[in-house]
Every structure is written in structure tokens, then in C-alpha cells.
Amino acid sequence: SFILLPSFSCACEFTKRTNAFEHTRLRAQKYRGNWYALSLSPYANHSDSLDIPGGGVIGCSTAYFLTRHPLYNPKIHSVIILEASQIAGGSSGKAGGLLAEWATPKCLAPLSFKTHGELAKEHGGDKIWGYRSVYCADVTLKAQDCDNGADAVNWIEDEHEESSTTKVPSDLDWLRPGSIKSYTEVGNPHISGQVNPLAFTETLAQFAKEKGAEVIIGTATTINYRDNNRSGISSITYTQNGTSKTLPATDIVLAAGPWTPSLFPATNLGPPPRGHSIVIRPSRVLSPYVLFPNISAPENGSLPNLLSPEIYPRPGDQIHDFDTVYACGPDDYEIPLPHSTANVAIDEQKCDDISKAIAAISKPLYEGEIITKQACYKPQIRSHEEGEEVGPIVGPTGVQGLWIATGHDEWEIQNAPGTGLVMSEMIFEGAAHSADCESLDPKHFLKWD
């Protein structure tokens, strides 16, 4: 997927104009070691076009904040989201949606977590995209084969059994009693939350459109430069229903997730991992505990090779008017990245393995109905240890008018609003001021031929 935002030229300093028709001054401004021509003004009498290839959460967040920046003027500024298949067709619509002030990178995560809360308060996110605060915990669980006759009886008999080894919150009542062998809180409602990523991304795109942005369904194929030296960009070419078309651009924000290198090969992303997940309608409402389990099989060996899926209970939202549970399994690298999100292969067995594992530790999930099986690819710079900071890549590329925002990996949903906010500041003002993003500067990641 690609998002194309009409490019904006920005100035680090804005000179006072004597009238609304004065031409914007074009000048070069040194920004973190690279030179860019910056020329954006709310009083300019020419049009600026910013194209964003990629209709995922990063592109839609960037479009949202661009169209709400104080210097944005829909009469002269054009913002276009260019998406190959559908808004949030990739990981932006299929992720868990965990929000955490304690996420990485530390330079961006707190800002983005705070911004999530502000967006939800302003737009009623609790009702629209299921925003709420949650607990998060690492848990060690003992599975039970619920399809085995004897164990099924034990499930009922043990329903009020208390764990003898671990103190567990009383409202975490949807796991099999006695199954919790350890419980370690890693996040509380003050620093942890969640959204439905699909509803969140679609809503941001809609809000951007209401302020003048446009969404075009088409596959971006080529960035066109002013000259052979690639001193600056001029337009972007895309295909739509078999026809090649070109959009003029003063700025382009590359937000195409794992597909970004196909447009800009200097983008240094590793092979993208594929992740499978399912969405279940449980037999009853579950309390807001996001769990990162380690599940061991029953001692009778009836459930070998169990996965340990992450589990995210969700409230109702504009996608589902009932509570659901999202669960995801481990990543794999078995199938290379396809041409677009519409072509992602789903392995039914991997989804069934997720279902089998969570059914073995929760009666409401065992009795629940699977309503979605899905898979997606994440934009990953490289594999890394939990908690290790690797990217994302956010900022100017060194080519005039060409910006990049990708490589967010597992924290894509969490860090999307912060990314969109700082990108709007960079583009309109010449630098980010809401967060110090020097460590995310593309100069640390891009590899030029």
C-alpha cells in the first residue's frame, strides 16, 4: 500500500508578508546535516501538492495532522493519500492495537500515547474505535484439553478454584481457574491502552478527507525526479485499473510500510515478517486485560506443540457493536512480501493453532465464535530483542521534497499519531518540536547505491 500526500514546502522561518499575494520565498535551509529547499506559506498564491503513498495508519495519521496544522490552507495545499487496495488493508487493520507509554522508541512513544488519548477525547474514540485503558501482564498458564471428557468435567468442577501460587486480580475471571501459574503486571491503565486499528485508521482517513484531503485507490509505481541527480521530486506515477497516471507533487511522504523500498530502494528494511491473527466473539464480556502468555500443554500430552498467542479483549466499536477478542500468533518468514495487501496469503492452519491454544485456557474463548482469520506483514528494519530500540525511520530523505515514515514494526499503531504530528511539523515548519526525533532521522538508516 502507498499513501501519497501532496507535497508541502516548508520554511524554518516565516517572513512577515505585507499582503496575501506575496510570493513565497524559496530558500535552502540546512536541516540536520542535509539541505532542503523549503517554501511553504499560508499566503502563497500557488498550489502545493503533498502526496502520501500508503493508506495505512502512518499515512492516514500524517494526512490527519497535515490537514489540522495551523498553516494548512485547503485552498492552496493539496493532500492526497494514494492507496493500492483499501485504507488499512495491511497491518494497520490487522494489528492488536496495543497502546503503551512504555513502548519504544522513548523519544516518540510518550508523545504518541498522549496524542492517542487526546484524539479519543476530541472525537469520541471510545465509541468509534474502541479506545480504552487496559492492564497488561505476562502470564504463565497451564492448558486444558476441553474436548477431552475427563478434562471437561474438571473445567466445571474447578470453576471456583483459586490459584495457590500466584495472586491474580479478581476481575481477571475469564481464564480457567487454577491455570495461572504466574502473573506479572507490565502495564496499568495509566500507561496502557488499546484501539481497534481498523476503525482508528479508517476514521483518521475520513477526518482528513473532511478537511480537504483526497483518497485515490491506485498503486504507486515510480517517484519521478527533477533531474538525473535526483536533486528533488516532481511527481509520482501510479496505476489505476490498468491505466498509468501521474500526480504532480511538491512533496511526497513515503508511508507504504514494508512496500516502501519498492518506491525508494535506499529504504533499508529487512525481510518483513508475516503474522497471523484471529478475532473471536466470546461467550461473554471479558475484563480489559491484555495478556502475553506462556502456555504449557496438559500433562497427559493431549495438546502438543501449543502456541502462546497474545490475547487482546476489545470493547464494541464502529466495526463490531459487541465485544470481541483479538489473538495473534508468532511471526514467520515463509512467504515473501506479495505485490499488495490484497494478495497476502492466509495459512488456515496457523489461525486454527491460535484458536486451539486460547480455547485451552479460557472457557469464554472455547465457547466463542471465530469471526475473522487474517494475516499481514509488518515494516521491520531488522529483527530485534524485546524492548530494543530500532527505528522507526521518520523525516527528510535528503532529496528535496521527499520524506519517509516507515519501519514502525510492532509499535506501528501506538506510534502513528506521534509520527503524523512530527511529520506535519517537519513539513510545515522545517523541524519537529513536539519530540526530539534525531535518532529517527533517515540519515541513520538509508543506504544509497
Side-chain angles (χ1 to χ4, degrees):
S1 330
F2 300 97
I3 296 182
L4 189 60
L5 292 177
S7 63
F8 292 82
S9 306
C10 43
C12 294
E13 303 174 25
F14 292 96
T15 51
K16 295 181 180 179
R17 270 98 177 146
T18 56
N19 60 69
F21 300 104
E22 181 180 352
H23 287 277
T24 303
R25 296 179 182 178
L26 184 66
R27 54 191 173 168
Q29 179 73 33
K30 193 173 184 183
Y31 177 62
R32 291 181 181 167
N34 295 310
W35 288 88
Y36 307 94
L38 306 173
S39 63
L40 191 84
S41 167
Y43 302 106
N45 62 355
H46 65 276
S47 296
D48 288 298
S49 179
L50 198 159
D51 301 335
I52 306 173
V57 69
I58 302 301
C60 292
S61 293
T62 302
Y64 173 90
F65 282 101
L66 283 169
T67 57
R68 277 160 176 75
H69 193 281
L71 296 178
Y72 169 73
N73 181 347
K75 294 181 179 180
I76 60 174
H77 298 144
S78 165
V79 176
I80 300 173
I81 298 174
L82 180 61
E83 165 56 40
S85 57
Q86 65 183 65
I87 295 297
S91 59
S92 297
K94 299 176 176 65
L98 178 64
L99 314 179
E101 190 179 59
W102 39 272
T104 59
K106 297 304 180 187
C107 66
L108 185 63
L111 168 67
S112 202
F113 181 79
K114 176 185 176 183
T115 307
H116 265 290
E118 293 170 346
L119 289 172
K121 183 177 181 180
E122 179 179 356
H123 298 297
D126 57 333
K127 298 290 191 288
I128 301 174
W129 58 81
Y131 173 87
R132 70 175 176 183
S133 299
V134 298
Y135 290 92
C136 299
D138 291 326
V139 291
T140 302
L141 304 173
K142 188 75 169 181
Q144 181 180 58
D145 187 353
C146 307
D147 293 322
N148 178 288
D151 283 343
V153 172
N154 290 337
W155 184 298
I156 298 173
E157 291 177 347
D158 292 345
E159 192 154 344
H160 300 290
E161 177 190 343
E162 296 293 335
S163 171
S164 58
T165 59
T166 301
K167 184 176 181 180
V168 180
S170 59
D171 56 341
L172 179 54
D173 57 359
W174 44 271
L175 295 174
R176 184 178 71 83
S179 66
I180 304 179
K181 303 308 176 185
S182 70
Y183 176 94
T184 304
E185 183 176 285
V186 296
N188 61 56
H190 298 291
I191 56 174
S192 308
Q194 70 177 158
V195 298
N196 181 322
L198 176 59
F200 178 65
T201 305
E202 289 181 338
T203 303
L204 287 183
Q206 182 58 40
F207 287 157
K209 289 170 63 177
E210 291 172 1
K211 290 291 186 177
E214 181 183 359
V215 175
I216 295 177
I217 301 300
T219 301
T221 57
T222 308
I223 295 173
N224 303 308
Y225 299 90
R226 296 176 188 169
D227 51 47
N228 293 334
N229 295 325
R230 297 189 176 186
S231 60
I233 56 96
S234 61
S235 62
I236 188 165
T237 299
Y238 68 100
T239 59
Q240 185 180 64
N241 300 322
T243 301
S244 180
K245 302 181 179 181
T246 299
L247 282 171
T250 51
D251 296 88
I252 294 174
V253 178
L254 296 167
W259 285 272
T260 302
S262 66
L263 278 178
F264 189 54
T267 308
N268 187 27
L269 297 183
R274 179 183 62 161
H276 284 78
S277 58
I278 62 174
V279 179
I280 291 178
R281 182 175 187 174
S283 60
R284 67 175 178 85
V285 173
L286 308 188
S287 53
Y289 285 84
V290 173
L291 301 182
F292 310 110
N294 182 355
I295 303 175
S296 60
E299 294 178 357
N300 63 8
S302 59
L303 293 174
N305 304 317
L306 272 184
L307 300 180
S308 295
E310 297 178 3
I311 304 172
Y312 301 73
R314 289 175 173 172
D317 50 50
Q318 70 173 9
I319 304 296
H320 302 293
D321 61 359
F322 48 84
D323 281 43
T324 58
V325 174
Y326 171 96
C328 60
D331 293 336
D332 71 76
Y333 296 84
E334 297 173 5
I335 299 180
L337 186 71
H339 178 66
S340 76
T341 60
N343 305 116
V344 174
I346 300 173
D347 187 325
E348 291 281 340
Q349 186 58 56
K350 293 184 183 296
C351 292
D352 292 342
D353 289 343
I354 296 171
S355 175
K356 180 176 71 173
I358 62 175
I361 50 89
S362 172
K363 185 177 180 180
L365 298 182
Y366 171 73
E367 298 173 337
E369 172 193 3
I370 298 177
I371 57 178
T372 303
K373 295 181 178 180
Q374 57 194 11
C376 63
Y377 288 81
K378 293 184 294 188
Q380 185 180 82
I381 297 172
R382 62 171 173 82
S383 59
H384 55 86
E385 299 297 325
E386 183 176 349
E388 182 185 2
E389 295 201 5
V390 183
I393 307 170
V394 179
T397 64
V399 177
Q400 183 182 325
L402 186 61
W403 311 78
I404 190 169
T406 191
H408 291 73
D409 210 336
E410 70 270 29
W411 291 115
E412 183 178 40
I413 307 302
Q414 144 64 29
N415 287 328
T419 298
L421 176 58
V422 299
M423 283 301 304
S424 71
E425 293 170 350
M426 290 178 187
I427 292 169
F428 270 111
E429 302 169 49
H433 57 77
S434 292
D436 180 359
C437 298
E438 199 286 329
S439 64
L440 312 182
D441 194 307
K443 69 184 180 184
H444 300 306
F445 302 96
L446 300 181
K447 289 191 175 182
W448 301 89
D449 293 335

